Amino acid sequence: MDPSNSMFILVAAFAGIVLLFIFLYFVPVNLWITAQFANVRVGIGELIGMRIRKVPPSVIVNSLITATKAGLQLTTNELETHYLAGGNVPNVIRALISADKANINLSFKQATAIDLAGRDVFEAVQISVNPKVINTPSVAAVAADGIQLIAKARVTVRANIAQLVGGAGEDTILARVGEGIVTSIGSADTHKSVLENPDKISKLVLQRGLDAGTAFEILSIDIADIDVGTNIGAKLQIDQASADLKVAEAKAEERRAMAVALEQEMRAKTVEMRAKVIEAEAEVPLALAEAFRSGQLGVMDYYRMENIKSDTSMRESIANSDTENKDSGKGKSDKK
C-alpha cells in the first residue's frame, strides 16, 4: 500500500472521530432518547439551542423528566430561563415536588423567586413540613429585686412561604426572643416568681407577635434553662455607697484644706499685727525724746510714768501668783 494513502486514511479517520464528538456534543442524542422514553417532548433543535446558549442540556432535561414524573407541568423554556437568571434548577424542582406531596401551595414562579432571593427553597419547604428548633444563646436579665437571671430558650419555627422573599431571618427571631425574655424577667417583681413559673416568660413573649415581618412562623417558645446570676442590686448599692464615701472624703479633705489655709492666713495676720505693735513701741522712745526737747515732758513726769509702769507690773505679777496658788490649791483638794 502506498504510504501516502495510508496517511490520508489515518487523518480522515481522526477527523471523522473529532467530528463525531463535536456532533454528539452539540446534538446530545442520548438525552433526547432518554427524554423520549420518559414521555417528555424535547426536540433536537431545543437541545442544540441549549448548547449554543451555554445551558447544560442534562440539567434541564433531567429536571424536566423529574418534574414530569412527579406530575408537574413545566416547560424547558421556564427551566432554561431560571438557569440563565442564576437559579438552581434541580433544587427548585425538588422543592416543588416536596411542596406538592405535602399539599403546600407553592407555584413555580414563587419557588424561583425564593431561589433567586438567595434562600434555599428546598430547605424552606422542609422546615415548613418539619418545624425547626432554634436554640437561643444565654440571655441575662435582672428582676425588680435586683437578682440576675440567665435564661436559655428553644424556639420552634415553621417556614412562612409567603414571607420568604423580603422576610427577616433567624437572627431577627433570636434578637426579638432575647428582647422579650429580658422584658419579661425585668417586669417580674422577684426572681423567685420567675423561677416558680418560667412558662410565664413563654406566654408573654408569644403575645408580642415576634414573627411579624419574618420568614418564619413561631409555633412555641420553651424555656430550657434558668440560672441565678449575681445580685446586681446589691452590687449597685455597694458601688453607690463607695462612690458616696469617696465624695464625702473629697469634701472633708476640701474643708480641711480650707481650714489649714485659714489658719495660715490668721497666723500671717497675727505676725503682721505683732510687727505693727513692735513698730509702734519703737516710736515711743522717739516720742519721749521729742517731748523732752520740746519741753512738754519733764524729768519728774518721766519718773512718775516709770513708777506707774512698775506698780502696774507688780500688781499683775501679784495677781498672777494669786491665781496660780488658787489653781494649785483646788487641784490638791480634788486629789484628796
Side-chain angles (χ1 to χ4, degrees):
M1 180 179 291
D2 190 359
S4 60
N5 292 334
S6 60
M7 182 62 66
F8 177 77
I9 293 172
L10 290 175
V11 172
F14 179 75
I17 294 172
V18 171
L19 291 175
L20 178 62
F21 276 105
I22 294 174
F23 176 78
L24 292 178
Y25 175 77
F26 282 98
V27 185
V29 180
N30 56 340
L31 279 177
W32 181 79
I33 295 173
T34 303
Q36 297 302 316
F37 277 100
N39 203 19
V40 175
R41 302 304 175 186
V42 180
I44 294 293
E46 291 180 308
L47 297 176
I48 296 174
M50 291 179 193
R51 286 296 188 190
I52 295 174
R53 289 186 291 272
K54 296 182 179 180
V55 177
S58 59
V59 174
I60 303 300
V61 173
N62 291 330
S63 298
L64 187 61
I65 291 173
T66 303
T68 303
K69 291 300 181 180
L72 302 178
Q73 300 298 324
L74 299 174
T75 63
T76 56
N77 188 35
E78 292 175 332
L79 300 182
E80 190 176 352
T81 301
H82 183 60
Y83 180 86
L84 291 174
N88 190 337
V89 175
N91 202 40
V92 170
I93 297 301
R94 288 197 300 269
L96 290 172
I97 295 173
S98 298
D100 182 67
K101 299 303 179 182
N103 294 324
I104 297 175
N105 187 16
L106 179 64
S107 63
F108 177 77
K109 183 178 180 180
Q110 192 176 13
T112 53
I114 294 171
D115 184 60
L116 292 177
R119 297 186 183 275
D120 192 334
V121 62
F122 180 63
E123 182 183 1
V125 173
Q126 285 183 323
I127 296 175
S128 181
V129 175
N130 185 20
K132 179 181 179 181
V133 177
I134 304 175
N135 293 317
T136 65
S138 299
V139 179
V142 181
D145 58 354
I147 304 299
Q148 182 188 54
L149 296 177
I150 303 173
K152 294 181 181 179
R154 290 191 179 96
V155 184
T156 305
V157 297
R158 180 172 57 196
N160 189 351
I161 300 296
Q163 294 289 335
L164 281 176
V165 179
E170 293 184 13
D171 293 338
T172 302
I173 293 289
L174 292 176
R176 291 181 180 180
V177 171
E179 179 185 0
I181 292 174
V182 171
T183 303
S184 301
I185 295 176
S187 61
D189 295 332
T190 63
H191 71 286
K192 294 181 181 179
S193 62
V194 178
L195 295 175
E196 291 172 356
N197 298 304
D199 58 327
K200 288 184 179 179
I201 300 177
S202 303
K203 293 178 181 179
L204 290 174
V205 174
L206 283 173
Q207 291 173 1
R208 297 169 64 91
L210 303 180
D211 52 3
T214 65
F216 300 95
E217 177 186 354
I218 297 178
L219 301 179
S220 67
I221 299 176
D222 303 311
I223 303 300
D225 184 27
I226 297 181
D227 295 328
V228 179
T230 58
N231 192 336
I232 301 297
K235 186 177 180 181
L236 291 176
Q237 290 178 357
I238 293 173
D239 293 341
Q240 184 63 42
S242 178
D244 293 341
L245 177 61
K246 290 181 180 179
V247 171
E249 290 177 348
K251 290 182 177 180
E253 180 63 25
E254 181 181 0
R255 289 194 296 268
R256 190 193 67 80
M258 292 177 63
V260 171
L262 182 60
E263 182 183 0
Q264 295 296 329
E265 183 179 357
M266 296 304 295
R267 288 181 179 178
K269 288 183 178 180
T270 302
V271 172
E272 182 181 358
M273 296 303 293
R274 286 178 180 174
K276 290 181 179 180
V277 170
I278 294 172
E279 183 180 359
E281 290 176 349
E283 291 179 356
V284 172
L286 297 176
L288 291 173
E290 181 65 24
F292 278 124
R293 283 193 297 268
S294 62
Q296 295 178 356
L297 182 66
V299 176
M300 297 305 296
D301 295 328
Y302 176 74
Y303 284 138
R304 288 194 200 98
M305 184 181 65
E306 289 295 327
N307 289 332
I308 292 171
K309 289 172 61 178
S310 299
D311 291 340
T312 303
S313 177
M314 181 179 64
R315 290 190 183 96
E316 288 179 354
S317 62
I318 293 171
N320 291 332
S321 63
D322 291 340
T323 303
E324 290 178 358
N325 292 331
K326 289 180 181 180
D327 292 338
S328 62
K330 185 178 180 181
K332 291 179 180 180
S333 63
D334 292 338
K335 289 181 180 180
K336 291 179 179 181

